[in-house]
Each structure stands twice: as structure tokens, then as C-alpha cells.
């Protein structure tokens, strides 16, 4: 089984992605701060149908100094790492003029610094092991302005810029890196967003509906698969046409 690390694989989009990958032949290593009942059920389901396909490793990605140790340990415990899905992320909605500095710093740390540091350590292994695939969870907030999401949008645009340049550094060693940019999807993260924010997104949807976690999982599965071998440095939006 090919090993794929899915950060934030304990709930929401990360769990939808982890479920999909564990049921389609991958061994998922989900990383998140803590277990929850939804994750336990998903792992039990996976154990029933595809034994050994879903593992959980508790880790706080804010601790960027410990990420190199984590990656070394994962390589030792699971073997070659084929894929990395940088999904873990946080969001605070708020007007920039009123946003406390600690929230700005936390958004940048979790949404930008942690995935970049994790990617750095994982690509070192992938280079030695003959290649791999990386998928970053961006957001349509990287392309479309939403009042209240300026800092969040900045972090997501950062990951797209990061992927485009890194694709040119690591393509020659057989590593593809792409981003998936979801629109508004019902998860714990979006529960905290205001009705006004949700209406802004729905109004802009060409298909007049919201995308779902399974749609995002489809895109991630595609980018990890053999059919995407000549796709790198790009972005797939999964937003029911909000940015169309
Ligand atoms: P969520 O809040 O439901 O889940 C976030 C996950 O990240 C959880 O598993 C959480 O444990 C993990 N996480 C957060 N901080 C962490 C840390 N310090 N260490 C380890 N794990 C940590 O969010 P979601 O809606 O599933 O979003 C997943 C990704 O998709 C995020 O990057 C988000 O920005 C992006 N996204 C979501 C939407 C949406 O509408 N839900 C839209 C566009 C992009």
C-alpha cells in the first residue's frame, strides 16, 4: 500500500479525504491534535474493509521545531512516504482593523509555516525514495475577496504561490505538487462563519449549490493517482463555480 500523510485527517475535509484514500488502496497516516468519535468510527470502518489502511498519529503542527522528528519517525514506522496532503488549517473571520496580532500570527503559523516546514522534511525523503505527490488544501478565498477573510485568504494564496515555485524545484526528482481550492463546504471550520459569509458564497455559485467533502476527496484522489502524473504546479477549484 502507498503511504499518504493527511494532516488534519481527524475531521471535516481531512477525514473525508482520509476515508476515501483508505478505501482506494492507500495506507493513510492521519495527523491531528487529538482523536474524536468520528475519527474512531472511520478507523474502525476502514479496519473492517481494508485492514491496516488507516492510522492516526497525534501531533500539534504548531510545534514546527518537532516536525523533522515526526517525519523521521513516520518513515521508520511506515516505510516510504508516497504522498502528503497538507490539509490541516484554521480560520478566523474578522475585520483586519480589529484582528488581534496573535490571531494573525496563528493563522500564518498553522496555514503557511507548518505545511511548508512539513513539506520540506517530506520532500527530502521523497527525493531519496524516488519521488512522490503533494497536495495542498488552498481555498477560493485565495482568488476571490470576502470581507472578513483577508488574513485567511492571504495564507491560502501563499500556499498556491509556494506550490507553483516548488513544483519547478522538485519536478526533476519526480515529485508533483498541486493545490485543491474548495469553496464553502459544511465542516466544523465553517460552522463559525457568519450567515452573511455563507450567503456571499452561495450567491456566487454558478451551480447554485455548495460543494461537499466528497467532491474535494475526488480531486485529491485524482491528483495522487497515476492519471495525474503530468499535472504539477497547478490548482483545481472545487467550488460549484463560485469563482467561475
Ligand atoms: P476543520 O476545522 O473541520 O478541520 C481542520 C483539521 O485541521 C482538524 O483535523 C484539526 O485537528 C486540524 N488542525 C488544525 N490545527 C492543527 C494543528 N495545530 N495541529 C494538527 N492539526 C491541526 O476544517 P476543514 O473545513 O475540514 O478544512 C480543512 C482544510 O480545507 C483547511 O486547510 C481549510 O482552510 C481548507 N478549506 C476549507 C473550506 C471549507 O469550506 N470547509 C473551504 C476552503 C478551504
Amino acid at each position: 500500500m502507498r503511504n499518504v500523510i493527511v494532516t488534519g485527517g481527524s475531521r471535516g475535509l481531512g477525514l473525508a479525504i482520509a476515508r476515501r484514500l483508505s478505501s482506494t488502496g492507500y495506507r493513510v497516516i492521519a495527523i491531528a491534535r487529538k482523536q474524536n468519535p468520528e475519527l474512531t468510527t472511520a478507523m474502525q470502518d476502514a479496519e473492517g474493509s481494508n485492514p491496516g489502511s488507516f492510522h492516526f498519529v497525534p501531533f500539534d503542527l504548531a510545534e514546527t521545531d518537532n516536525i523533522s522528528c515526526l517525519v523521521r519517525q513516520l518513515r521508520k514506522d511506515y516505510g516510504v512516504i508516497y504522498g502528503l496532503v497538507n490539509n490541516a488549517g484554521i480560520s478566523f473571520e474578522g475585520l483586519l482593523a480589529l484582528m488581534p496580532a496573535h490571531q494573525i500570527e496563528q493563522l500564518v503559523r498553522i496555514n503557511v509555516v507548518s505545511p511548508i516546514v512539513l513539506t520540506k522534511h517530506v520532500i527530502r525523503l521523497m527525493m531519496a525514495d524516488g519521488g512522490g505527490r503533494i497536495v495542498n488544501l488552498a481555498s477560493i478565498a485565495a482568488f476571490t475577496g470576502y470581507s472578513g477573510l483577508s488574513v485567511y485568504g492571504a495564507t491560502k494564496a501563499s500556499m498556491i504561490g509556494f506550490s507553483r515555485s516548488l513544483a519547478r524545484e522538485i519536478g526533476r526528482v519526480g515529485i508533483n505538487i498541486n493545490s485543491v481550492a474548495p469553496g464553502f463546504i459544511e465542516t466544523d471550520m465553517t460552522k463559525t462563519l457568519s450567515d452573511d459569509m455563507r450567503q456571499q458564497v452561495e450567491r456566487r455559485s454558478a451551480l447554485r449549490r455548495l460543494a461537499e467533502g466528497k467532491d474535494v476527496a475526488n480531486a485529491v484522489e485524482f491528483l495522487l493517482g497515476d492519471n495525474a502524473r503530468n499535472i504539477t504546479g497547478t490548482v483545481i477549484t472545487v467550488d460549484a463555480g463560485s469563482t467561475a
Side-chain angles (χ1 to χ4, degrees):
M1 273 190 268
R2 281 169 163 172
N3 291 313
V4 179
I5 299 171
V6 180
T7 67
S10 65
R11 66 177 200 216
L13 300 186
L15 184 59
I17 293 164
R19 273 182 183 278
R20 171 66 61 80
L21 298 179
S22 73
S23 68
T24 51
Y26 295 95
R27 180 192 288 125
V28 169
I29 307 157
I31 293 173
R33 279 166 301 185
K34 46 184 196 279
Q35 274 271 8
N36 64 57
E38 214 187 339
L39 171 64
T40 306
T41 307
M43 290 179 71
Q44 284 164 351
D45 290 350
E47 203 47 39
S49 44
N50 299 293
S53 66
F54 200 144
H55 298 255
F56 173 68
V57 176
F59 186 84
D60 184 348
L61 289 160
E63 295 172 10
T64 48
D65 289 346
N66 296 334
I67 288 179
S68 67
C69 273
L70 168 78
V71 172
R72 261 201 312 277
Q73 194 59 47
L74 295 178
R75 176 70 176 79
K76 221 183 260 175
D77 292 346
Y78 297 99
V80 172
I81 306 296
Y82 167 77
L84 167 65
V85 182
N86 281 313
N87 163 81
I90 56 171
S91 157
F92 300 120
E93 182 186 353
L95 301 176
L96 180 62
L98 302 176
M99 189 173 277
H102 71 87
Q103 281 193 352
I104 297 173
E105 281 163 15
Q106 209 183 335
L107 275 166
V108 174
R109 172 164 285 268
I110 302 301
N111 291 1
V112 181
V113 179
S114 300
I116 289 178
V117 172
L118 179 59
T119 301
K120 168 186 161 169
H121 292 289
V122 168
I123 61 170
R124 287 176 165 196
L125 293 180
M126 287 176 169
M127 284 170 176
D129 289 333
R133 296 285 171 87
I134 300 168
V135 181
N136 297 313
L137 267 287
S139 165
I140 56 166
F143 316 114
T144 304
Y146 295 96
S147 168
L149 288 185
S150 62
V151 183
Y152 176 77
T155 66
K156 293 298 171 180
S158 297
M159 290 310 292
I160 293 172
F162 168 67
S163 308
R164 284 201 198 285
S165 289
L166 187 61
R168 300 193 167 269
E169 289 181 25
I170 59 180
R172 73 193 71 172
V173 290
I175 307 173
N176 301 35
I177 178 164
N178 292 289
S179 305
V180 172
F184 183 105
I185 293 173
E186 305 275 8
T187 65
D188 286 344
M189 178 181 280
T190 46
K191 264 187 208 147
T192 63
L193 296 180
S194 60
D195 287 346
D196 179 50
M197 179 66 63
R198 162 194 281 275
Q199 282 157 13
Q200 286 188 57
V201 179
E202 265 175 349
R203 262 200 312 272
R204 290 183 183 179
S205 158
L207 296 173
R208 295 291 186 269
R209 59 178 181 245
L210 298 177
E212 297 175 36
K214 64 182 177 194
D215 303 314
V216 175
N218 285 339
V220 173
E221 183 191 353
F222 168 67
L223 288 171
L224 289 173
D226 294 336
N227 289 338
R229 71 192 182 94
N230 281 324
I231 299 179
T232 196
T234 194
V235 189
I236 298 181
T237 53
V238 182
D239 65 346
S242 301
T243 46

